[in-house]
Amino acid sequence: MAVASWLGPAAGHAAELGGTVWVPMVDPEKGPEETLELNTLGVIREGDGANADWRIYRGKYRESVSRHDFFIAVGRPDLAQRDSSRQSKHTALVVGGLAATVAGVWVLGATFTKGGWDPPAWLGGALMAGGVISFFWLSDLFEGPDLKVDEAEGLVRRYNEHLQERLKPPAERDNRIQAMRLGQSLHLAPWLAPGAGGLAVAARF
């Protein structure tokens, strides 16, 4: 139990994109709109509830994307490294559990065989029990993604918004920037005069 607690996965929190978000180059023959359609990410839930498993796909043809590639695309190499470590632990526990179970059977066989090595029966039973626990229970702690499905959907949503913004035509982006600047330069101020009053609008160009 102490080993299981030490190996237990930490809860993952990934609400924001990283600083190295991958954005594809716009194909001149396809244009920004089709490039966006081919690279938008989506989440497929595998089950219900907050602990449901999930998979990532890309584009209108729903091409499968590995969790590692997904984490790299959204600029989160820390999550990619954690997921790789998680998979390595799962593999180690499965292989180790299988090896311990086989060793336990062999030790039990030696216990009841006359002559040669005569180990105690509890040793074989302990190896078998530990192997079964490792194979069927401990390994399950590291099976599937560590990141919650809601957090994965949040990352996907933010990535798609970032992708849409970056793939907009330059003229459309410039118009949006100018509109933002104009909105920031407009100011309302009250004014009073003998027998009159109102609001004054000041604009800076």
Side-chain angles (χ1 to χ4, degrees), residues 157-171:
R157 182 174 62 256
R158 289 173 177 83
Y159 176 80
N160 290 338
E161 292 172 352
H162 179 82
L163 190 65
Q164 185 175 15
E165 180 65 25
R166 292 293 300 272
L167 292 180
K168 282 183 179 179

Side-chain angles (χ1 to χ4, degrees), residues 65-87:
V65 177
S66 68
R67 290 198 302 270
H68 179 273
D69 291 345
F70 165 60
F71 292 139
I72 295 299
V74 298
R76 296 299 302 269
D78 57 321
L79 297 181
Q81 183 178 6
R82 190 172 69 190
D83 187 71
S84 177
S85 175
R86 179 181 175 85
Q87 293 182 24

